[in-house]
């Protein structure tokens, strides 16, 4: 239950960050009369018929700048690591050959052959 609640809450916060303009428009439409009467820069000049649009444009610019700032902050938090390594040369030491005493060599190593087999293996045919 808690995981679903946390997932829904995180989903809402991610989606709400993308709808900041919508919230500014909605706030403007809900408080249009108050903004035109109290917060508008041109409230002393009613002939301009601004009705708070100057305030709306200011808020939209501020929201856009905030989005750009968050986006640039998100890009600056990324850490890029480049990995460079010198070429690695692999070398093998020559095996030491035991002198005369072959009793330490296990029996299975005597069964190994490195001869090439010329014939091709063909499985037996099934008789029905």
């Amino acid at each position: 239950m808690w995981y679903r609640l946390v997932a829904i809450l995180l989903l809402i916060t991610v989606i709400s960050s993308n709808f900041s303009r919508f919230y500014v428009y909605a706030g403007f439409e809900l408080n249009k009369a108050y903004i035109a009467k109290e917060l508008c820069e041109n409230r002393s000049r009613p002939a301009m018929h601004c009705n708070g649009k100057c305030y709306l444009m200011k808020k939209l610019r501020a929201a856009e700048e905030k989005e750009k700032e968050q986006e640039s902050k998100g890009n600056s938090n990324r850490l890029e690591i480049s990995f460079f390594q010198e070429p690695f040369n692999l070398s093998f030491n020559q095996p030491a050959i035991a002198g005369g005493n072959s009793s330490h060599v296990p029996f299975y190593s005597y069964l190994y052959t490195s001869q090439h087999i010329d014939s091709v293996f063909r499985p037996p045919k099934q008789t029905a």
Side-chain angles (χ1 to χ4, degrees), residues 13-33:
T13 56
V14 168
I15 291 173
S16 67
S17 66
N18 293 332
F19 289 117
S20 61
R21 285 186 182 172
F22 172 74
Y23 295 134
V24 171
Y25 279 120
F28 175 74
E29 288 298 323
L30 291 174
N31 300 319
K32 199 174 203 178

Side-chain angles (χ1 to χ4, degrees), residues 25-82:
Y25 279 120
F28 175 74
E29 288 298 323
L30 291 174
N31 300 319
K32 199 174 203 178
Y34 172 75
I35 291 171
K37 186 177 176 184
E38 300 292 327
L39 301 175
C40 182
E41 293 177 1
N42 299 321
R43 64 180 174 260
S44 60
R45 295 179 266 172
M48 290 186 71
H49 301 288
C50 178
N51 297 330
K53 292 177 187 171
C54 56
Y55 180 78
L56 173 65
M57 292 303 152
K58 247 198 255 185
K59 286 294 186 179
L60 285 175
R61 267 189 246 116
E64 191 173 315
E65 288 175 10
K66 188 175 180 182
E67 281 181 20
K68 285 182 182 178
E69 180 181 312
Q70 286 178 350
E71 186 176 310
S72 66
K73 189 183 290 185
N75 289 339
S76 67
N77 288 339
R78 292 184 186 162
L79 178 63
E80 185 175 326
I81 298 174
S82 299

Side-chain angles (χ1 to χ4, degrees), residues 86-120:
E86 293 295 323
F88 181 72
N89 295 328
L90 185 64
S91 62
F92 296 99
N93 296 333
Q94 292 294 330
I97 299 174
N101 188 4
S102 63
S103 63
H104 71 281
V105 179
F107 177 72
Y108 67 85
S109 67
Y110 290 116
L111 302 175
Y112 176 75
T113 62
S114 62
Q115 296 175 351
H116 178 68
I117 300 174
D118 291 335
S119 65
V120 176

